[in-house]
Amino acid sequence: MKSRDTSILYLVLGVYSLMINWYYNHSIIYLIISYIFWPVYLIYELLIGNLAHGMWKEIPLSYFK
């Protein structure tokens, strides 16, 4: 059961990373690259500050408006 919980979290974070990439880039090539290397991309976005000031929750909400 524990491995299933981590795999669901892994999937959710991967989809979240793709949403962030599409929000900023709108490029299929960048989307494919970030799909392959999404953990690195997510850490990169956190470090450069693109998810600061509430953007971490504004980006997913923009897809449902």
Side-chain angles (χ1 to χ4, degrees):
M1 184 69 174
K2 232 175 199 310
S3 66
R4 183 173 182 191
D5 293 339
T6 57
S7 65
I8 291 172
L9 179 63
Y10 194 81
L11 176 70
V12 169
L13 287 176
V15 170
Y16 182 68
S17 175
L18 294 177
M19 291 170 75
I20 293 168
N21 187 340
W22 187 256
Y23 183 83
Y24 285 117
N25 297 320
H26 292 289
S27 171
I28 297 294
I29 295 170
Y30 287 148
L31 194 70
I32 292 169
I33 292 171
S34 74
Y35 175 71
I36 295 169
F37 301 109
W38 75 260
V40 175
Y41 180 75
L42 192 58
I43 292 170
Y44 170 74
E45 290 292 325
L46 284 169
L47 290 176
I48 66 170
N50 280 346
L51 299 178
H53 306 294
M55 288 304 290
W56 65 271
K57 59 183 173 182
E58 182 65 32
I59 292 171
L61 290 176
S62 70
Y63 290 101
F64 298 108
K65 287 184 180 179

Coordinates of all heavy atoms in Angstrom, one line a residue:
M1 N 0.8 -1.2 0.0 CA 0.0 0.0 0.0 C 0.9 1.3 0.0 O 0.5 2.2 -0.6 CB -0.9 0.0 1.2 CG -1.9 1.1 1.3 SD -3.1 0.9 0.0 CE -4.2 2.2 0.4
K2 N 2.0 1.2 0.7 CA 2.8 2.4 0.7 C 3.4 2.8 -0.6 O 3.5 3.9 -0.9 CB 4.0 2.1 1.7 CG 4.1 3.2 2.7 CD 5.2 2.8 3.7 CE 5.2 3.5 5.0 NZ 5.1 4.8 5.1
S3 N 3.8 1.8 -1.4 CA 4.3 2.1 -2.8 C 3.2 2.7 -3.7 O 3.5 3.5 -4.5 CB 4.9 0.9 -3.4 OG 3.9 -0.1 -3.7
R4 N 2.0 2.3 -3.5 CA 0.9 2.9 -4.3 C 0.7 4.4 -3.9 O 0.5 5.2 -4.7 CB -0.4 2.1 -4.0 CG -1.5 2.7 -4.9 CD -2.7 1.8 -4.9 NE -3.7 2.4 -5.7 CZ -4.9 2.0 -5.8 NH1 -5.3 1.1 -5.0 NH2 -5.8 2.5 -6.6
D5 N 0.8 4.7 -2.6 CA 0.6 6.1 -2.2 C 1.7 7.0 -2.8 O 1.5 8.1 -3.2 CB 0.7 6.2 -0.6 CG -0.5 5.5 0.0 OD1 -1.5 5.4 -0.7 OD2 -0.4 5.2 1.2
T6 N 3.0 6.5 -2.8 CA 4.0 7.3 -3.3 C 3.9 7.4 -4.9 O 4.3 8.4 -5.4 CB 5.4 6.7 -3.0 OG1 5.5 5.3 -3.4 CG2 5.6 6.7 -1.5
S7 N 3.4 6.4 -5.5 CA 3.3 6.4 -7.0 C 2.2 7.4 -7.4 O 2.3 8.1 -8.4 CB 3.0 5.1 -7.6 OG 1.7 4.6 -7.1
I8 N 1.1 7.5 -6.6 CA 0.1 8.5 -6.8 C 0.6 9.9 -6.6 O 0.4 10.8 -7.4 CB -1.2 8.3 -5.9 CG1 -1.8 7.0 -6.4 CG2 -2.1 9.5 -6.0 CD1 -3.0 6.6 -5.5
L9 N 1.4 10.1 -5.6 CA 2.0 11.4 -5.3 C 3.0 11.8 -6.4 O 3.1 12.9 -6.9 CB 2.8 11.4 -4.0 CG 3.5 12.7 -3.6 CD1 2.5 13.8 -3.4 CD2 4.3 12.5 -2.3
Y10 N 3.8 10.8 -6.9 CA 4.7 11.0 -8.0 C 3.9 11.4 -9.3 O 4.4 12.3 -10.0 CB 5.5 9.7 -8.3 CG 6.7 9.8 -9.1 CD1 7.9 10.3 -8.6 CD2 6.6 9.5 -10.5 CE1 9.0 10.4 -9.4 CE2 7.7 9.6 -11.3 CZ 8.9 10.0 -10.8 OH 10.0 10.1 -11.6
L11 N 2.8 10.8 -9.6 CA 2.0 11.2 -10.7 C 1.4 12.6 -10.6 O 1.5 13.4 -11.5 CB 0.9 10.2 -10.9 CG -0.1 10.5 -12.0 CD1 0.5 10.3 -13.4 CD2 -1.4 9.6 -11.9
V12 N 0.9 12.9 -9.4 CA 0.3 14.2 -9.2 C 1.4 15.3 -9.4 O 1.1 16.4 -10.0 CB -0.4 14.3 -7.8 CG1 -0.7 15.7 -7.5 CG2 -1.6 13.4 -7.8
L13 N 2.6 15.1 -8.8 CA 3.6 16.1 -8.9 C 4.1 16.2 -10.4 O 4.5 17.3 -10.8 CB 4.8 15.8 -8.0 CG 4.5 16.0 -6.5 CD1 5.7 15.6 -5.7 CD2 4.3 17.5 -6.2
G14 N 4.1 15.1 -11.1 CA 4.5 15.2 -12.5 C 3.5 16.0 -13.3 O 3.9 16.8 -14.1
V15 N 2.2 15.8 -13.1 CA 1.2 16.6 -13.8 C 1.3 18.0 -13.4 O 1.2 18.9 -14.3 CB -0.2 16.0 -13.5 CG1 -1.3 16.9 -14.0 CG2 -0.3 14.6 -14.1
Y16 N 1.5 18.3 -12.1 CA 1.7 19.7 -11.7 C 2.9 20.4 -12.4 O 2.8 21.5 -12.8 CB 1.9 19.7 -10.2 CG 2.0 21.1 -9.6 CD1 0.9 21.9 -9.6 CD2 3.2 21.5 -9.0 CE1 1.0 23.2 -9.0 CE2 3.3 22.8 -8.4 CZ 2.2 23.6 -8.4 OH 2.3 24.8 -7.9
S17 N 4.0 19.6 -12.5 CA 5.1 20.2 -13.2 C 4.8 20.5 -14.7 O 5.3 21.5 -15.2 CB 6.3 19.2 -13.1 OG 7.4 19.6 -13.9
L18 N 4.0 19.6 -15.3 CA 3.6 19.9 -16.7 C 2.7 21.1 -16.8 O 2.8 21.9 -17.8 CB 3.0 18.7 -17.3 CG 3.8 17.4 -17.5 CD1 3.0 16.3 -18.0 CD2 5.0 17.7 -18.4
M19 N 1.9 21.3 -15.8 CA 1.0 22.5 -15.8 C 1.8 23.7 -15.7 O 1.5 24.7 -16.4 CB 0.0 22.3 -14.7 CG -1.0 21.2 -14.9 SD -2.1 20.9 -13.5 CE -3.1 22.3 -13.5
I20 N 2.8 23.7 -14.8 CA 3.7 24.9 -14.7 C 4.4 25.2 -16.0 O 4.5 26.3 -16.4 CB 4.7 24.6 -13.5 CG1 3.9 24.6 -12.2 CG2 5.7 25.7 -13.5 CD1 4.8 24.1 -11.1
N21 N 4.9 24.1 -16.6 CA 5.7 24.3 -17.8 C 4.8 24.9 -18.9 O 5.2 25.9 -19.6 CB 6.3 23.0 -18.3 CG 7.2 23.2 -19.5 OD1 7.2 24.2 -20.2 ND2 8.1 22.2 -19.7
W22 N 3.6 24.4 -19.1 CA 2.7 24.9 -20.1 C 2.3 26.3 -19.8 O 2.1 27.2 -20.7 CB 1.5 24.0 -20.3 CG 0.7 24.4 -21.5 CD1 -0.5 25.0 -21.5 CD2 1.0 24.2 -22.8 NE1 -1.0 25.2 -22.7 CE2 0.0 24.7 -23.6 CE3 2.1 23.6 -23.5 CZ2 0.0 24.7 -25.0 CZ3 2.1 23.5 -24.9 CH2 1.0 24.0 -25.6
Y23 N 2.1 26.7 -18.6 CA 1.7 28.0 -18.2 C 2.8 29.1 -18.6 O 2.4 30.1 -19.1 CB 1.5 28.1 -16.7 CG 1.0 29.4 -16.2 CD1 -0.4 29.7 -16.2 CD2 1.9 30.3 -15.6 CE1 -0.8 30.9 -15.7 CE2 1.4 31.6 -15.1 CZ 0.1 31.8 -15.2 OH -0.4 33.0 -14.7
Y24 N 4.0 28.7 -18.4 CA 5.1 29.7 -18.7 C 5.6 29.6 -20.2 O 6.0 30.6 -20.7 CB 6.3 29.5 -17.8 CG 6.0 30.0 -16.4 CD1 6.0 29.2 -15.3 CD2 5.8 31.4 -16.2 CE1 5.7 29.7 -14.0 CE2 5.5 31.9 -14.9 CZ 5.5 31.0 -13.9 OH 5.2 31.5 -12.6
N25 N 5.6 28.4 -20.8 CA 6.3 28.3 -22.1 C 5.4 28.1 -23.3 O 5.7 28.6 -24.4 CB 7.2 27.1 -22.0 CG 8.3 27.3 -21.0 OD1 8.8 28.3 -20.9 ND2 8.6 26.2 -20.3
H26 N 4.3 27.4 -23.2 CA 3.4 27.1 -24.3 C 4.1 26.4 -25.5 O 4.0 26.8 -26.6 CB 2.6 28.3 -24.8 CG 1.7 28.8 -23.8 ND1 0.5 28.2 -23.5 CD2 1.7 29.9 -23.0 CE1 -0.2 28.9 -22.6 NE2 0.5 29.9 -22.3
S27 N 5.0 25.5 -25.2 CA 5.8 24.8 -26.2 C 5.7 23.3 -26.0 O 6.0 22.8 -24.9 CB 7.2 25.3 -26.2 OG 8.0 24.5 -27.0
I28 N 5.4 22.6 -27.0 CA 5.3 21.1 -27.0 C 6.7 20.5 -26.7 O 6.8 19.6 -25.9 CB 4.7 20.5 -28.3 CG1 3.3 21.0 -28.5 CG2 4.8 19.0 -28.3 CD1 2.3 20.5 -27.4
I29 N 7.7 21.1 -27.3 CA 9.1 20.5 -27.1 C 9.5 20.7 -25.6 O 10.0 19.7 -25.0 CB 10.1 21.2 -28.0 CG1 9.7 20.9 -29.5 CG2 11.5 20.8 -27.7 CD1 10.5 21.7 -30.5
Y30 N 9.3 21.8 -25.0 CA 9.6 22.0 -23.6 C 8.7 21.1 -22.7 O 9.2 20.7 -21.7 CB 9.4 23.5 -23.2 CG 10.5 24.4 -23.7 CD1 10.2 25.7 -24.0 CD2 11.8 24.0 -23.9 CE1 11.1 26.6 -24.5 CE2 12.8 24.8 -24.4 CZ 12.4 26.1 -24.7 OH 13.4 27.0 -25.2
L31 N 7.5 20.9 -23.1 CA 6.6 20.0 -22.4 C 7.1 18.6 -22.4 O 7.1 18.0 -21.3 CB 5.2 20.1 -22.9 CG 4.1 19.5 -22.1 CD1 3.9 20.4 -20.9 CD2 2.8 19.4 -22.9
I32 N 7.6 18.1 -23.5 CA 8.2 16.8 -23.5 C 9.4 16.7 -22.7 O 9.6 15.7 -22.0 CB 8.4 16.4 -25.0 CG1 7.1 16.2 -25.7 CG2 9.2 15.1 -25.1 CD1 7.2 16.1 -27.2
I33 N 10.3 17.7 -22.8 CA 11.5 17.7 -22.0 C 11.2 17.7 -20.5 O 11.8 17.0 -19.7 CB 12.4 18.8 -22.5 CG1 12.9 18.6 -23.9 CG2 13.6 19.0 -21.5 CD1 13.7 19.7 -24.5
S34 N 10.3 18.5 -20.1 CA 9.9 18.6 -18.7 C 9.2 17.3 -18.2 O 9.3 17.0 -17.1 CB 9.1 19.8 -18.4 OG 7.8 19.7 -18.8
Y35 N 8.5 16.6 -19.1 CA 7.9 15.4 -18.8 C 9.0 14.3 -18.5 O 8.8 13.5 -17.6 CB 7.0 14.9 -19.9 CG 6.4 13.5 -19.7 CD1 5.4 13.3 -18.7 CD2 6.9 12.4 -20.4 CE1 4.9 12.1 -18.5 CE2 6.3 11.1 -20.1 CZ 5.4 11.0 -19.2 OH 4.8 9.8 -19.0
I36 N 10.1 14.4 -19.2 CA 11.2 13.4 -19.0 C 11.9 13.7 -17.7 O 12.2 12.9 -16.9 CB 12.1 13.4 -20.2 CG1 11.4 12.8 -21.4 CG2 13.3 12.5 -19.9 CD1 12.1 13.0 -22.7
F37 N 12.2 15.0 -17.5 CA 13.0 15.5 -16.4 C 12.2 16.3 -15.4 O 12.7 17.3 -14.8 CB 14.2 16.3 -16.8 CG 15.1 15.6 -17.8 CD1 15.1 15.9 -19.1 CD2 15.9 14.6 -17.4 CE1 16.0 15.3 -20.0 CE2 16.7 13.9 -18.2 CZ 16.8 14.3 -19.6
W38 N 10.9 15.9 -15.1 CA 10.1 16.8 -14.3 C 10.6 17.0 -12.9 O 10.4 18.1 -12.3 CB 8.6 16.3 -14.3 CG 8.3 15.1 -13.5 CD1 8.2 13.8 -14.0 CD2 8.1 15.0 -12.1 NE1 7.9 13.0 -12.9 CE2 7.8 13.7 -11.8 CE3 8.1 16.0 -11.1 CZ2 7.6 13.3 -10.5 CZ3 7.8 15.6 -9.8 CH2 7.5 14.2 -9.5
P39 N 11.2 16.0 -12.2 CA 11.7 16.4 -10.8 C 12.7 17.5 -10.8 O 12.6 18.4 -10.0 CB 12.3 15.1 -10.3 CG 11.6 14.0 -11.1 CD 11.4 14.6 -12.4
V40 N 13.6 17.5 -11.8 CA 14.6 18.5 -11.9 C 14.0 19.9 -12.2 O 14.3 20.9 -11.7 CB 15.7 18.1 -12.9 CG1 16.7 19.2 -13.1 CG2 16.4 16.9 -12.5
Y41 N 13.0 19.8 -13.2 CA 12.3 21.0 -13.6 C 11.5 21.6 -12.4 O 11.5 22.9 -12.3 CB 11.4 20.7 -14.8 CG 10.6 21.9 -15.2 CD1 11.3 22.9 -16.0 CD2 9.3 22.1 -14.9 CE1 10.6 24.0 -16.4 CE2 8.6 23.2 -15.4 CZ 9.3 24.2 -16.1 OH 8.6 25.3 -16.5
L42 N 10.9 20.8 -11.6 CA 10.1 21.4 -10.5 C 11.0 22.0 -9.5 O 10.7 23.1 -9.0 CB 9.3 20.2 -9.9 CG 8.2 20.6 -8.9 CD1 7.2 21.6 -9.5 CD2 7.5 19.4 -8.4
I43 N 12.1 21.4 -9.2 CA 13.1 22.0 -8.3 C 13.6 23.3 -8.8 O 13.8 24.3 -8.1 CB 14.2 21.0 -7.9 CG1 13.6 19.9 -7.1 CG2 15.4 21.7 -7.2 CD1 14.6 18.7 -6.9
Y44 N 13.9 23.3 -10.1 CA 14.4 24.5 -10.8 C 13.4 25.7 -10.7 O 13.8 26.8 -10.3 CB 14.7 24.2 -12.3 CG 15.0 25.4 -13.1 CD1 16.2 26.1 -13.0 CD2 14.0 25.9 -14.0 CE1 16.4 27.2 -13.8 CE2 14.3 27.0 -14.8 CZ 15.5 27.7 -14.7 OH 15.7 28.8 -15.4
E45 N 12.1 25.4 -10.9 CA 11.1 26.4 -10.8 C 11.0 26.9 -9.4 O 10.7 28.1 -9.2 CB 9.8 25.9 -11.3 CG 9.7 25.7 -12.8 CD 9.8 27.0 -13.6 OE1 9.2 28.0 -13.1 OE2 10.4 26.9 -14.7
L46 N 11.1 26.1 -8.4 CA 11.1 26.5 -7.0 C 12.3 27.4 -6.7 O 12.1 28.4 -6.0 CB 11.1 25.3 -6.1 CG 9.8 24.5 -6.0 CD1 10.0 23.2 -5.3 CD2 8.7 25.3 -5.3
L47 N 13.4 27.1 -7.2 CA 14.6 27.8 -6.8 C 14.7 29.2 -7.5 O 15.2 30.1 -6.9 CB 15.9 27.0 -7.2 CG 16.2 25.8 -6.3 CD1 17.4 25.1 -6.9 CD2 16.4 26.2 -4.9
I48 N 14.2 29.3 -8.7 CA 14.3 30.6 -9.4 C 13.1 31.5 -9.0 O 13.1 32.7 -9.3 CB 14.3 30.5 -10.9 CG1 13.1 29.9 -11.5 CG2 15.6 29.7 -11.3 CD1 13.0 30.0 -13.0
G49 N 12.1 31.0 -8.3 CA 11.1 31.8 -7.7 C 9.8 32.0 -8.6 O 9.0 32.9 -8.3
N50 N 9.6 31.2 -9.6 CA 8.4 31.3 -10.4 C 7.2 30.8 -9.7 O 6.1 31.0 -10.1 CB 8.6 30.5 -11.7 CG 9.3 31.2 -12.7 OD1 9.6 32.4 -12.6 ND2 9.8 30.5 -13.8
L51 N 7.3 30.1 -8.6 CA 6.2 29.7 -7.8 C 6.0 30.5 -6.5 O 5.2 30.1 -5.7 CB 6.3 28.2 -7.4 CG 6.5 27.3 -8.6 CD1 6.7 25.8 -8.2 CD2 5.3 27.4 -9.5
A52 N 6.7 31.6 -6.4 CA 6.5 32.5 -5.2 C 5.3 33.4 -5.4 O 4.7 33.5 -6.4 CB 7.8 33.3 -5.1
H53 N 4.9 34.0 -4.3 CA 3.8 35.0 -4.2 C 2.5 34.4 -4.7 O 1.7 35.0 -5.4 CB 4.2 36.2 -5.0 CG 5.4 36.8 -4.6 ND1 5.6 37.4 -3.4 CD2 6.6 37.0 -5.3 CE1 6.9 37.9 -3.3 NE2 7.5 37.6 -4.5
G54 N 2.2 33.1 -4.3 CA 0.9 32.5 -4.6 C 0.8 31.9 -6.0 O -0.3 31.4 -6.3
M55 N 1.8 31.9 -6.8 CA 1.7 31.4 -8.1 C 1.6 29.9 -8.1 O 1.1 29.3 -9.0 CB 2.9 31.8 -9.0 CG 2.9 33.2 -9.4 SD 1.4 33.7 -10.3 CE 1.6 32.8 -11.8
W56 N 2.1 29.2 -7.0 CA 2.0 27.8 -6.9 C 0.5 27.3 -6.9 O 0.2 26.2 -7.3 CB 2.7 27.3 -5.7 CG 2.1 27.7 -4.4 CD1 2.4 28.9 -3.7 CD2 1.1 27.1 -3.6 NE1 1.6 29.0 -2.6 CE2 0.9 27.9 -2.5 CE3 0.4 25.9 -3.8 CZ2 -0.1 27.5 -1.5 CZ3 -0.5 25.5 -2.8 CH2 -0.7 26.3 -1.7
K57 N -0.4 28.2 -6.5 CA -1.8 27.8 -6.5 C -2.6 28.5 -7.6 O -3.6 28.0 -8.0 CB -2.5 28.0 -5.2 CG -2.4 29.4 -4.6 CD -3.1 29.5 -3.3 CE -2.9 30.9 -2.7 NZ -3.4 31.1 -1.4
E58 N -2.1 29.6 -8.1 CA -2.7 30.3 -9.2 C -2.6 29.6 -10.5 O -3.5 29.6 -11.3 CB -2.1 31.7 -9.3 CG -2.7 32.6 -10.4 CD -4.2 32.9 -10.1 OE1 -4.5 33.1 -8.9 OE2 -5.0 33.1 -11.0
I59 N -1.5 28.9 -10.8 CA -1.3 28.2 -12.0 C -2.3 27.1 -12.2 O -2.9 27.0 -13.2 CB 0.2 27.7 -12.1 CG1 1.1 28.9 -12.3 CG2 0.4 26.8 -13.3 CD1 2.6 28.6 -12.2
P60 N -2.5 26.2 -11.2 CA -3.5 25.1 -11.5 C -4.9 25.7 -11.6 O -5.7 25.2 -12.3 CB -3.4 24.2 -10.2 CG -2.0 24.5 -9.7 CD -1.7 25.9 -10.0
L61 N -5.2 26.7 -10.8 CA -6.5 27.3 -10.9 C -6.8 28.0 -12.3 O -8.0 28.0 -12.7 CB -6.7 28.4 -9.8 CG -6.8 27.8 -8.4 CD1 -6.9 29.0 -7.4 CD2 -8.0 26.9 -8.2
S62 N -5.8 28.4 -12.9 CA -6.0 29.1 -14.3 C -6.5 28.1 -15.3 O -7.1 28.5 -16.3 CB -4.7 29.7 -14.7 OG -3.7 28.7 -15.0
Y63 N -6.2 26.8 -15.1 CA -6.7 25.8 -16.1 C -8.2 25.4 -15.9 O -8.8 24.8 -16.8 CB -5.9 24.5 -15.9 CG -4.5 24.7 -16.4 CD1 -3.4 24.8 -15.6 CD2 -4.2 24.7 -17.8 CE1 -2.1 25.0 -16.0 CE2 -2.9 24.8 -18.3 CZ -1.9 25.0 -17.4 OH -0.6 25.2 -17.9
F64 N -8.7 25.8 -14.7 CA -10.1 25.4 -14.4 C -11.1 26.6 -14.5 O -12.2 26.5 -14.2 CB -10.2 24.8 -13.1 CG -9.4 23.5 -13.0 CD1 -8.3 23.4 -12.3 CD2 -9.9 22.4 -13.7 CE1 -7.5 22.2 -12.2 CE2 -9.1 21.2 -13.7 CZ -8.0 21.1 -13.0
K65 N -10.5 27.8 -14.9 CA -11.4 29.0 -15.0 C -12.0 29.1 -16.4 O -11.5 28.6 -17.4 CB -10.6 30.2 -14.7 CG -10.2 30.4 -13.3 CD -9.5 31.6 -13.0 CE -9.2 31.7 -11.6 NZ -8.5 32.9 -11.2

